[in-house]
Amino acid sequence: MNQRFRTWWQPRRGLAIAEACVIGLVAALSAVFLKVGSGWLGTWRVHTTHLFPAWLALPAIGLVLGFVAGWLVDRFAPEASGSGIPQVKATLANVPMKLSWRVAGIKLLSAIIAIGSGMTLGRQGPTVHVGASLAAGMSRWVPTSPDHRRQMIAAGAGAGLAAAFNAPIAGVLFIVEELLQDLSGLTLGTAIIASFIGGVISRLLGGGSLDLNLQLTESSSQFSIPEIPFFVLLGILAGLLGALFNRGLIFSIKFYRKLHISLPLRVALAGFISGVVVAMLPPSFRDNTGLRESLITGGSHPTVAAIAFAAQFILTLIAFGSGAPGGLFAPSLILGSCLGHIIGVSELYITGAGSPTTYALAGMGGFFSAVSKVPITAIVIVFEMTTDFNLVLPLMIVSVAAYLVADKVVPGSLYEKLLELKGITLTKEAPMEGALTKLTAKDVMQERVETLDAEMSLEEAMQSFARSHHRGFPVVEDSKLVGIVTQSDLLKIRDRNLANDIFLKEIMTPVPMTVTPIHTLSNVLYLLDRYQISRLPVVDGRKLIGIITRADIIRAEADHLNCDNRTLKLRPEPSYIVYQTRSPSTGSGRLLVPVANPETAAILLQMAAAIARDRHYEIDCVQVMLIPRHSSPSETQVRTAKSRRLLRQAEVLAKKWKIPLHTQIRVTHDVAQAILETINEQHIDLILMGWKGNTSTPGRIFGNVVDTVIRQATCEVVLVKLGTTGQSFNRWLVPMAGGPNSPLAIKLLPALITLGNDPQIRLTQVFKPSELKPDMSISEQAIRHLMRRRKLSSSVIALPVQANSVAEGVINLVHTEGYDVVVLGASREGLLQQAIQGNIPEAIASGVESTVILVRGAINK
């Protein structure tokens, strides 16, 4: 059966070949459409300069068309910005970056508009992106493996490049050298087929990349041995200038981000500047095709080539940094041809020999190699476009020299650096033999382990199992593993009446099977299978440090198979403060209130003000604005008017009570991350948060944000679930469990009861029907504490209540006697570890309609 499943899962070779054929055809058609569309729009732009003054027409066209292109991308497919090759590279490295037919369509249309507006960008990068996106959309029709889908996406990218340059071999090499770096038979086969069909169809339909006069280039290109030093010099210069070009691209992107303007405005600004600069240059610079052919065939003066190099260099930085949909291949080739032309003419003046055309073509390959760090692809692209064997040796000399120099000056791939600007880092690792043999128990174990104490009674253990989805727990004594207990152990006890007289250490399995942190996953899996168990404790000596299950091993193996030989690290981008106010820092501590819901903000702020006034704290009020993952918090435009109105409520209340108040609005990808950053930056002592009383998120107790804050915030945490029957704060119920957490609630009471009129407080302890009445000394001590803080002796009582569980007793009290507020103290473990099974605080908060306040103490750093 397993063999049949694996056979079904493997993509059939015939299906892969058919997909590759269709992908090559579609990629070629899109490349031809992009060439014709941008060419027609560019011709119209040049023709317009004959009807209107160039200084008016070119900037206006660049501004309007740039805005339209940016708006299309920003509105319909933000993933379509830029060249598109970094997005494809990230997708092939298993980064969740969207590639779809919509991305392909928007990329195609916006690239036509952006390139036709006169910006010095190429259409080859967008063609690669479009081909990969079309392949990704098509692969969703065929439910095969993730590896097969990646191979199809790579084939689409290669077909796009092959169609753009009429260079099918270069398309295949680009996949191997830059994108997928996979030499398996199926990858090469699909890439070759898609690239071949893409190149052939594109050539038949007139989709060639450079409109070169091949007869001129073939008759002019030549090479001799004495010219080698000049070609080496050309390679060195191409490498240095290519490295400078890459640095300039990164600087340009960062500069545009500092402007804090939207993508449409950035692209419009780039189009306007490009139009102004081109309008000031000679008319021949308005036709990129004619200028390029003039440089390659040696028909331009060196001064013109130098001006063209400087103009193309600067304008490409301006256009690309804006995020306009366009690539770098064509600008790199033009810059290389300018540089090669200058060196070739210089050699001709010095020695009286040489061919500027040969140098121009070799310079194209050299500069392309320096920018994209793909020397083999660069050599093959230029060779396939010219089919001139005399160029092969000069191309090799210049391209390899340029690559070595550029990689020495600016190491690493440009596309990976562009991904790093978006918080995505791809790091190559040595090939792994397999997750089971290379990973250890320490790598995949769960470090947070729920345990039971050896001195726990059987009744308490049964309650833990009833609240848990686990079927077994490690048993510890003084933090050392002494045994393990499972549900089957509990079933062996026939007389349930003796549950309180039997301790866990009497029924547990002593000396359980364990593993050490250095055990490989294959060893762990062998033990699990050998003894037919589902989990193994991980110990260091006798100290329990984690637990590992079958699911952990399956997950590790799946991650290894999906990520192949790469490790992906997503660095979340920090939140960004877009608005803030500050007051004098005169308090003895700081209290943080995140506000989001206008309906509950007022009462939360009143509670915060009461606590702040009682403890002489300052208040920090933060509003968090969530944005999509593909947007940068530091450059995304947001509207803060509604948020500022919410913060003004806090300002009015703080002014009334004369409490220092600081406000801020943060833009972020993750609300919990923004709150934790505020806690750390402002040295918060207490955070007061609202909670709706339930969560629909699987595996979460209070929800993603609250769970994360409870787990990671080092300050005191107060959760408030507001009642649904009106905001009354007169009758207070405080369960006293007798543990170290009860004083947390008592400590908070003096401040909170000021919200009510003539408040009445009941302290209660729950005892079971089979138990004697509990010792009320803890409650009496709490009453004395309250009496010292407030003159409320006649309004505070302590009475026990009989019930089967704490949650049941408290909920019944609230329902029968109508308490307005329940205050519960709990530790981080009490709120999270036990709450995973439906703990007392969560059960009470979900079971009553009154206001419930949960208090978690500070955590020692």
Side-chain angles (χ1 to χ4, degrees):
M1 177 64 183
N2 292 336
Q3 181 63 34
R4 289 175 58 191
F5 175 77
R6 286 194 295 267
T7 303
W8 174 84
W9 182 256
Q10 290 294 329
R12 290 173 293 180
R13 187 171 298 272
L15 176 62
I17 293 174
E19 273 192 87
C21 293
V22 177
I23 288 170
L25 176 62
V26 175
L29 293 176
S30 64
V32 172
F33 181 71
L34 179 56
K35 179 195 175 184
V36 173
S38 59
W40 178 86
L41 200 56
T43 302
W44 170 81
R45 178 179 58 86
V46 174
H47 180 69
T48 305
T49 60
H50 301 311
L51 304 177
F52 301 97
W55 60 267
L56 176 63
L58 294 179
I61 292 173
L63 179 70
V64 174
L65 295 185
F67 182 86
V68 172
W71 179 84
L72 284 172
V73 172
D74 190 56
R75 176 66 177 81
F76 297 105
E79 303 86 358
S81 63
S83 75
I85 293 178
Q87 292 93 314
V88 176
K89 188 178 179 71
T91 301
L92 294 175
N94 296 305
V95 181
M97 194 165 287
K98 190 173 184 180
L99 290 180
S100 64
W101 286 343
R102 184 176 68 171
V103 172
I106 296 301
K107 183 75 169 191
L108 191 61
L109 184 58
S110 60
I112 289 173
I113 297 173
I115 297 169
S117 70
M119 282 186 269
T120 53
L121 295 172
R123 53 187 172 80
Q124 291 77 20
T127 306
V128 171
H129 195 189
V130 170
S133 298
L134 291 172
M138 193 176 304
S139 67
R140 292 188 177 93
W141 285 358
V142 184
T144 54
S145 68
D147 278 342
H148 177 77
R149 182 172 182 269
R150 291 173 65 239
Q151 288 164 344
M152 292 301 104
I153 292 174
L161 185 68
F165 281 111
N166 275 343
I169 300 177
V172 177
L173 290 176
F174 187 70
I175 294 173
V176 174
E177 193 173 15
E178 176 62 30
L179 294 181
L180 200 55
Q181 299 177 345
D182 183 4
L183 290 172
S184 64
L186 186 59
T187 298
L188 280 178
T190 54
I192 290 172
I193 292 171
S195 298
F196 171 77
I197 293 178
V200 170
I201 298 298
S202 176
R203 179 164 297 185
L204 290 175
L205 298 178
S209 175
L210 299 181
D211 298 322
L212 303 179
N213 188 330
L214 297 181
Q215 293 182 350
L216 285 175
T217 60
E218 288 174 1
S219 61
S220 302
S221 60
Q222 53 186 352
F223 170 73
S224 59
I225 299 300
E227 293 180 288
I228 290 179
F230 289 95
F231 284 113
V232 173
L233 175 63
L234 175 58
I236 294 173
L237 290 176
L240 293 173
L241 292 172
L244 178 63
F245 184 70
N246 284 354
R247 286 186 180 272
L249 293 172
I250 302 299
F251 172 80
S252 177
I253 293 172
K254 293 180 178 179
F255 176 80
Y256 274 105
R257 287 187 175 182
K258 292 179 181 179
L259 297 180
H260 303 302
I261 57 178
S262 65
L263 178 64
L265 293 180
R266 294 203 306 265
V267 181
L269 178 62
F272 177 78
I273 296 174
S274 298
V276 171
V277 174
V278 173
M280 294 187 296
L281 295 173
S284 59
F285 283 75
R286 299 167 195 169
D287 181 6
N288 287 330
T289 302
L291 176 64
R292 182 170 55 222
E293 185 169 324
S294 176
L295 290 167
I296 293 173
T297 56
S300 297
H301 193 274
T303 305
V304 175
I307 296 174
F309 183 89
Q312 290 281 330
F313 194 99
I314 295 171
L315 290 178
T316 304
L317 299 186
I318 293 172
F320 189 83
S322 69
L328 296 172
F329 285 2
S332 300
L333 295 174
I334 295 174
L335 289 169
S337 66
C338 293
L339 184 62
H341 181 82
I342 294 171
I343 298 297
V345 172
S346 301
E347 191 231 2
L348 186 62
Y349 287 159
I350 294 172
T351 65
S355 168
T357 296
T358 304
Y359 282 89
L361 293 169
M364 289 168 59
F367 206 90
F368 183 90
S369 174
V371 172
S372 299
K373 304 292 179 66
V374 283
I376 300 176
T377 304
I379 294 168
V380 174
I381 281 179
V382 178
F383 171 72
E384 284 193 281
M385 288 190 301
T386 61
T387 63
D388 186 355
F389 283 95
N390 291 328
L391 283 172
V392 173
L393 189 55
L395 272 172
M396 293 178 66
I397 295 172
V398 176
S399 297
V400 173
Y403 167 75
L404 293 175
V405 172
D407 198 55
K408 183 70 174 177
V409 177
V410 182
S413 167
L414 170 65
Y415 305 119
E416 293 186 3
K417 287 182 170 58
L418 294 176
L419 288 173
E420 288 176 2
L421 292 177
K422 297 182 179 181
I424 299 173
T425 303
L426 302 177
T427 55
K428 300 177 183 178
E429 293 183 344
M432 296 190 295
E433 298 175 11
L436 294 180
T437 57
K438 300 299 291 184
L439 294 179
T440 64
K442 185 179 180 180
D443 295 326
V444 300
M445 71 181 184
Q446 303 173 39
E447 296 183 7
R448 297 182 61 85
V449 186
E450 298 177 55
T451 62
L452 300 180
D453 192 88
E455 298 297 329
M456 180 181 289
S457 68
L458 179 59
E459 177 65 24
E460 292 173 315
M462 289 179 176
Q463 292 180 12
S464 298
F465 274 97
R467 295 191 300 263
S468 173
H469 65 277
H470 295 312
R471 293 177 294 173
F473 289 97
V475 181
V476 296
E477 190 173 34
D478 297 328
S479 299
K480 295 180 180 178
L481 182 70
V482 294
I484 194 165
V485 63
T486 65
Q487 289 179 344
S488 58
D489 295 325
L490 301 183
L491 295 175
K492 296 176 183 177
I493 307 299
R494 299 184 179 277
D495 189 355
R496 299 289 175 174
N497 295 324
L498 300 177
N500 287 319
D501 300 326
I502 300 177
F503 295 100
L504 202 57
K505 61 183 179 182
E506 299 176 28
I507 64 169
M508 70 181 186
T509 302
V511 194
M513 179 65 61
T514 62
V515 294
T516 66
I518 61 173
H519 269 84
T520 64
L521 295 190
S522 59
N523 292 335
V524 176
L525 188 59
Y526 169 77
L527 292 174
L528 292 173
D529 288 335
R530 173 67 178 81
Y531 296 99
Q532 291 298 300
I533 51 181
S534 57
R535 66 189 60 79
L536 279 170
V538 183
V539 295
D540 186 0
R542 289 186 61 194
K543 183 179 180 182
L544 180 68
I545 62 172
I547 196 165
I548 186 168
T549 66
R550 291 178 185 270
D552 297 326
I553 298 176
I554 293 171
R555 191 181 305 112
E557 182 67 17
D559 291 342
H560 168 71
L561 292 175
N562 288 334
C563 294
D564 199 16
N565 295 331
R566 291 176 176 268
T567 298
L568 170 65
K569 298 178 182 178
L570 290 175
R571 297 199 305 250
E573 195 170 350
S575 61
Y576 185 77
I577 300 175
V578 295
Y579 171 85
Q580 66 177 343
T581 62
R582 286 281 170 253
S583 296
S585 297
T586 58
S588 59
R590 303 189 79 146
L591 186 155
L592 176 64
V593 186
V595 292
N597 187 352
E599 296 179 0
T600 60
I603 189 62
L604 289 177
L605 290 171
Q606 290 181 32
M607 289 184 177
I611 298 172
R613 190 169 59 171
D614 181 72
R615 299 189 181 186
H616 306 289
Y617 277 6
E618 305 166 24
I619 296 178
D620 282 78
C621 194
V622 61
Q623 164 81 30
V624 180
M625 305 184 71
L626 201 61
I627 61 170
R629 289 281 177 182
H630 57 72
S631 302
S632 171
S634 61
E635 64 179 23
T636 301
Q637 276 194 327
V638 293
R639 297 180 179 178
T640 60
K642 186 180 296 184
S643 299
R644 291 201 303 269
R645 283 198 296 269
L646 199 58
L647 295 178
R648 275 196 286 271
Q649 294 184 29
E651 294 172 353
V652 171
L653 187 62
K655 186 176 181 181
K656 176 183 176 182
W657 281 14
K658 298 180 181 179
I659 299 172
L661 176 74
H662 317 284
T663 67
Q664 59 180 248
I665 300 174
R666 285 180 178 255
V667 180
T668 185
H669 293 147
D670 187 332
V671 175
Q673 175 194 340
I675 292 174
L676 292 172
E677 287 173 357
T678 307
I679 291 173
N680 294 330
E681 293 171 9
Q682 305 302 327
H683 307 290
I684 299 298
D685 298 283
L686 183 149
I687 177 172
L688 179 72
M689 301 178 66
W691 174 51
K692 62 184 179 180
N694 56 70
T695 180
S696 59
T697 306
R700 296 293 184 175
I701 304 95
F702 303 102
N704 286 326
V705 175
V706 177
D707 280 14
T708 304
V709 172
I710 290 174
R711 184 178 294 110
Q712 299 184 26
T714 56
C715 64
E716 191 173 346
V717 178
V718 178
L719 298 183
V720 180
K721 189 217 79 171
L722 295 176
T724 59
T725 58
Q727 301 304 331
S728 178
F729 298 94
N730 295 324
R731 294 175 55 79
W732 297 70
L733 178 64
V734 185
M736 305 292 293
N741 301 311
S742 298
L744 296 172
I746 298 300
K747 183 180 178 182
L748 200 65
L749 270 181
L752 293 178
I753 59 178
T754 60
L755 299 173
N757 300 317
D758 190 21
Q760 301 175 15
I761 304 171
R762 173 173 176 173
L763 310 182
T764 188
Q765 289 179 245
V766 179
F767 67 100
K768 296 185 178 181
S770 59
E771 297 177 351
L772 298 174
K773 288 189 177 182
D775 183 5
M776 299 297 291
S777 59
I778 297 175
S779 299
E780 294 169 358
Q781 183 180 356
I783 292 177
R784 288 193 294 270
H785 172 79
L786 291 172
M787 289 172 60
R788 287 195 299 269
R789 293 294 308 274
R790 302 282 180 184
K791 302 301 182 181
L792 296 172
S793 57
S794 61
S795 301
V796 183
I797 60 173
L799 294 174
V801 62
Q802 191 178 73
N804 292 321
S805 68
V806 174
E808 178 187 331
V810 173
I811 293 173
N812 288 339
L813 273 178
V814 174
H815 289 164
T816 56
E817 301 189 17
Y819 286 99
D820 302 318
V821 187
V822 181
V823 185
L824 299 164
S827 66
R828 172 176 61 178
E829 289 73 20
L831 285 173
L832 287 179
Q833 288 187 355
Q834 296 175 21
I836 291 174
Q837 299 90 20
N839 75 331
I840 294 172
E842 192 273 339
I844 293 174
S846 302
V848 301
E849 296 182 352
S850 304
T851 296
V852 179
I853 300 175
L854 309 180
V855 189
R856 192 221 72 185
I859 300 172
N860 295 327
K861 298 182 180 179

